[in-house]
Amino acid sequence: MSTIPDEKIREVRERAPILQVVSDYMSLKKSGANYQGVCPFHGEKTASFNVNPARGIFHCFGCGVGGNSIDFVMRMEGLAFPQAVKFLAKKVGVEIPERELTREEKRKVDEQEQAYQINELACEFYRRVLESDEAGAAGRAYLEKRGVDRDTAATYRMGFAPAGWDNLTGFLRRKGIPLDAAEKLGLLRKREGKDGYYDTFRNRLLFTIADLHGRAIGFGGRVMDDSLPKYINSPESIVYRKSEVLFGIDLAKKGMREKGSAIVVEGYFDHLALYRAGFTNVVATCGTALTQPHVKLLRRYADRAFMLFDGDEAGRKATVRSMELFLEEGFPARVVEVPAEDDPDTFINREGGAAFQPLLDKALPIFESFYKGLLKRMDVRGVEGKVAFVNEVSPRLQKIADPVERGLYEKEICRAVGIDRAMLLQKVGIPARPQAPRPQPKGAPQQAGTEEVLLTLMVKYPDVVLRVRDLGADKLFSASHLKLAQAIVAQSETGDLDLPLVLEQIESHEERSRLYSLFVEDAHLEDLDPVKAFEQCCQALERRALKGGGKTLARELATVDPDSPRYLEILSELERLRNKKSKLL
């Protein structure tokens, strides 16, 4: 939760109008009461991104993203809520009160700032060596051999660690940096049995690992021959946690938003090859397996992922591990396959970037790729093979949350292996004959639609809010919409309706996005008589209630003895409901 006072958040939103905020990032054109543009969060050609300045909200009808000015900045800049508020506050001159840090908090902040400073100095040193020093000639020759030009090297902030033992050590000492602090970041190592430090990276080409905002937080050093280890990566530190960082995320944010997808590779040069070929939505794991924080990070910028790991046994295992994460998170992912003798770097350098797009187009959903790969490697003709296959597939099949998707895979797998579906379901732990979902009353969709129309009327017309207040929101709205209706009534009584503030009270992200789509456009309400429309909504809701009550009584009537007093009572009540309903028609 944010510790920023609510009144300050509201002041930031008021002084940073959403039209002004969004216009700083993209081009908008007026369209009725709204402004429209091409959505920055997914690739599209027809503008479906809408900004409603009067209500302070935006919504894209293409990808479903919606929110207020702070939400927009969070997505565009990759910031958490408090940081996005402070980012906007600084722009519009709102001072956010900072509570005094505890001694431990101040120590941690100072240590982080020092870590950023040291990494930036190291990056500056390695960059200079690669660009112009005689000691960096080997690095320049290696990059030239691999077809990497100076501009690309600058984009990636690539550098070179000279062959000597204390080049960086001496540089940091001259800059007045405490060498023990540089040791904590893995840049230096303590000499064994004697005083002093020596450089960790020596005679290696260096890739700078950056955070979301492009700040240097670590390095990956590659040898230029066949010696081992091939790569040395910075250890974890106060600013670098491998489970939360993806290489190239600072470069890929824009591409992921525009294309709606992320390509995940394993190596630095794989990343470089794809990025240079125009696939700017590519990120790489930093010498570690994909983690849940990685998937959550991808989800902030993309709607789906393409996994591009090596085709060897280690690559297959990494793909299976990542599949389980994607299934658990409900995040769509596909597996891209390059020829067995290639990795993305060699494939693109030989075939060109245009040849890679068909591989993306042919990529299989990650679970489908997994089970079809198993079928190729396992002999499922006999009982033993079938059992082994089912043992491998069933725990992963359980992780598919969507029942329709899971059901389709169950049928495919059973057909491919030649087993009965009930047997597979028994292994998966799902009843072979699941209970059919209880059908919704036919009136339910209309009721929900009527309530939403009433909500849009409340947002547009203050007179409707007063009528809802007087009649009682609990008499008009079901539980799914009651809290929002009550919040609109309460907010309106304090002054003008602050819709973004009201919608922030909706806990479900999906429900909030749906409501932004409901409220961002209301041109269809312009010619309505709000009082008449309100009365029509009330009548429709009452008809639904009467219909529901009548069905309940009819079901009870079928179970009651015709000679009992209750039977006559139900008949009388049903007649009363029919008469009341006929008056509403």
Side-chain angles (χ1 to χ4, degrees):
M1 295 293 290
S2 167
T3 57
I4 302 173
D6 289 344
E7 62 270 18
K8 284 294 180 182
I9 296 172
R10 186 166 185 168
E11 184 182 356
V12 167
R13 282 207 318 268
E14 288 172 351
R15 294 179 63 173
I18 193 164
L19 183 60
Q20 176 185 317
V21 171
V22 175
S23 296
D24 284 346
Y25 291 88
M26 57 184 287
S27 176
L28 294 169
K29 290 184 178 179
K30 199 168 190 326
S31 176
N34 285 2
Y35 288 78
Q36 292 183 337
V38 176
C39 181
F41 305 124
H42 80 288
E44 64 173 12
K45 294 180 180 177
T46 304
S48 56
F49 183 91
N50 280 256
V51 175
N52 188 314
R55 292 180 180 167
I57 61 175
F58 73 89
H59 180 78
C60 174
F61 289 96
C63 64
V65 170
N68 56 43
S69 56
I70 297 171
D71 296 317
F72 184 82
V73 169
M74 285 171 66
R75 283 186 166 271
M76 292 300 292
E77 298 291 340
L79 299 173
F81 181 81
Q83 284 70 44
V85 175
K86 291 176 182 177
F87 177 91
L88 276 177
K90 188 175 181 181
K91 274 192 163 188
V92 297
V94 175
E95 190 173 339
I96 302 294
E98 299 280 357
R99 68 172 175 81
E100 191 172 341
L101 300 178
T102 65
R103 183 177 298 179
E104 177 57 25
E105 287 172 335
K106 189 173 187 314
R107 183 200 64 76
K108 187 175 181 180
V109 168
D110 290 344
E111 187 179 351
Q112 284 177 326
E113 288 305 314
Q114 184 185 59
Y116 287 125
Q117 179 195 10
I118 294 171
N119 277 320
E120 285 294 338
L121 284 171
C123 179
E124 174 189 314
F125 171 79
Y126 294 135
R127 288 280 304 127
R128 192 192 69 235
V129 172
L130 178 65
E131 285 195 317
S132 56
D133 282 14
E134 186 178 341
R140 293 191 291 275
Y142 180 80
L143 289 179
E144 185 177 352
K145 177 183 171 185
R146 298 199 65 152
V148 180
D149 58 30
R150 291 174 69 94
D151 288 343
T152 302
T155 298
Y156 278 79
R157 300 179 76 188
M158 296 173 75
F160 188 75
W165 287 89
D166 60 358
N167 292 286
L168 180 64
T169 303
F171 173 77
L172 294 177
R173 184 185 292 115
R174 290 191 295 275
K175 291 288 185 180
I177 298 299
L179 299 186
D180 60 338
E183 181 196 9
K184 287 181 182 177
L185 301 176
L187 293 166
L188 309 180
R189 292 179 180 172
K190 202 165 180 56
R191 295 183 183 275
E192 293 183 14
K194 60 176 76 172
D195 293 338
Y197 298 86
Y198 65 94
D199 297 355
T200 298
F201 299 105
R202 304 182 305 281
N203 197 32
R204 287 178 181 266
L205 185 73
L206 294 183
F207 284 87
T208 298
I209 301 167
D211 66 8
L212 277 167
H213 310 294
R215 295 177 296 191
I217 56 176
F219 300 91
R222 191 196 194 284
V223 294
M224 295 170 294
D225 53 27
D226 295 328
S227 59
L228 297 173
K230 186 177 180 180
Y231 278 99
I232 294 177
N233 291 314
S234 293
E236 297 210 340
S237 69
I238 193 169
V239 294
Y240 177 39
R241 287 170 288 278
K242 294 181 182 181
S243 66
E244 300 174 10
V245 173
L246 289 166
F247 176 76
I249 188 72
D250 57 317
L251 301 175
K253 288 187 298 184
K254 185 172 184 289
M256 286 192 290
R257 288 193 200 103
E258 290 174 346
K259 299 180 181 180
S261 64
I263 303 172
V264 184
V265 297
E266 290 183 292
Y268 299 112
F269 273 102
D270 291 338
H271 187 290
L272 190 149
L274 282 165
Y275 195 86
R276 290 174 66 209
F279 298 92
T280 56
N281 55 331
V282 60
V283 293
T285 53
C286 297
T288 185
L290 203 71
T291 65
Q292 188 179 52
H294 286 149
V295 176
K296 289 184 181 296
L297 178 60
L298 291 174
R299 188 162 224 156
R300 288 166 63 177
Y301 301 97
D303 299 319
R304 63 192 183 282
F306 291 92
M307 304 304 296
L308 190 50
F309 288 170
D310 291 343
D312 58 14
E313 185 60 27
R316 280 197 294 271
K317 287 181 178 178
T319 302
V320 171
R321 284 195 300 269
S322 65
M323 174 188 70
E324 294 178 349
L325 288 172
F326 285 117
L327 293 179
E328 287 169 2
E329 289 291 320
F331 188 48
R334 291 177 172 262
V335 175
V336 183
E337 293 187 4
V338 295
E341 69 276 9
D342 280 318
D343 56 31
D345 180 30
T346 57
F347 178 83
I348 287 176
N349 284 331
R350 186 184 70 248
E351 303 292 337
F356 183 74
Q357 184 59 49
L359 300 185
L360 282 181
D361 297 337
K362 291 188 299 183
L364 292 176
I366 196 164
F367 183 80
E368 182 178 348
S369 173
F370 163 68
Y371 89 76
K372 286 184 175 178
L374 279 181
L375 287 173
K376 289 178 182 177
R377 296 192 301 276
M378 300 177 73
D379 184 355
V380 295
R381 289 173 295 181
V383 171
E384 188 176 347
K386 292 181 193 293
V387 171
F389 176 82
V390 170
N391 285 340
E392 282 288 317
V393 166
S394 56
R396 280 88 188 200
L397 194 57
Q398 282 179 313
K399 295 180 185 291
I400 300 177
D402 186 325
V404 175
E405 182 183 6
R406 189 175 61 238
L408 291 172
Y409 277 130
E410 288 162 2
K411 289 180 181 178
E412 282 191 20
I413 289 167
C414 291
R415 185 168 55 248
V417 185
I419 61 173
D420 184 72
R421 188 166 178 232
M423 294 168 60
L424 178 63
L425 293 177
Q426 186 176 16
K427 186 70 179 177
V428 173
I430 301 169
R433 292 176 179 268
Q435 185 177 357
R438 189 174 177 180
Q440 291 289 320
K442 290 181 181 178
Q446 292 96 321
Q447 181 172 354
T450 302
E451 289 183 16
E452 289 183 352
V453 170
L454 189 49
L455 285 171
T456 59
L457 289 170
M458 290 174 70
V459 168
K460 186 169 181 65
Y461 299 108
D463 284 351
V464 175
V465 179
L466 296 176
R467 289 174 181 270
V468 170
R469 182 198 66 188
D470 293 342
L471 189 59
D474 57 331
K475 291 182 175 63
L476 293 168
F477 292 94
S478 60
S480 59
H481 295 105
L482 180 58
K483 185 177 177 182
L484 177 59
Q486 290 173 331
I488 292 173
V489 170
Q491 248 276 307
S492 298
E493 288 177 346
T494 63
D496 292 335
L497 176 64
D498 185 342
L499 187 60
L501 184 63
V502 168
L503 292 178
E504 280 174 11
Q505 298 175 38
I506 306 298
E507 294 179 4
S508 165
H509 173 76
E510 290 75 15
E511 179 66 4
R512 265 203 318 274
S513 293
R514 193 181 66 80
L515 290 170
Y516 279 119
S517 72
L518 190 66
F519 297 133
V520 77
E521 177 62 75
D522 61 8
H524 58 290
L525 302 178
E526 287 295 338
D527 298 327
L528 284 180
D529 178 337
V531 175
K532 187 176 180 181
F534 169 74
E535 290 172 350
Q536 289 172 341
C537 286
C538 290
Q539 290 175 3
L541 292 171
E542 191 172 358
R543 280 196 298 271
R544 297 286 77 77
L546 291 172
K547 189 174 181 180
K551 285 186 175 181
T552 301
L553 288 170
R555 284 194 295 270
E556 185 183 352
L557 186 69
T559 65
V560 174
D561 185 348
D563 294 328
S564 69
R566 178 59 183 156
Y567 191 83
L568 294 175
E569 288 176 8
I570 295 173
L571 287 176
S572 176
E573 182 65 16
L574 282 170
E575 182 63 23
R576 188 187 69 81
L577 290 178
R578 274 193 290 269
N579 290 335
K580 191 171 182 181
K581 187 177 176 183
S582 67
K583 293 177 182 178
L584 293 172
L585 296 176

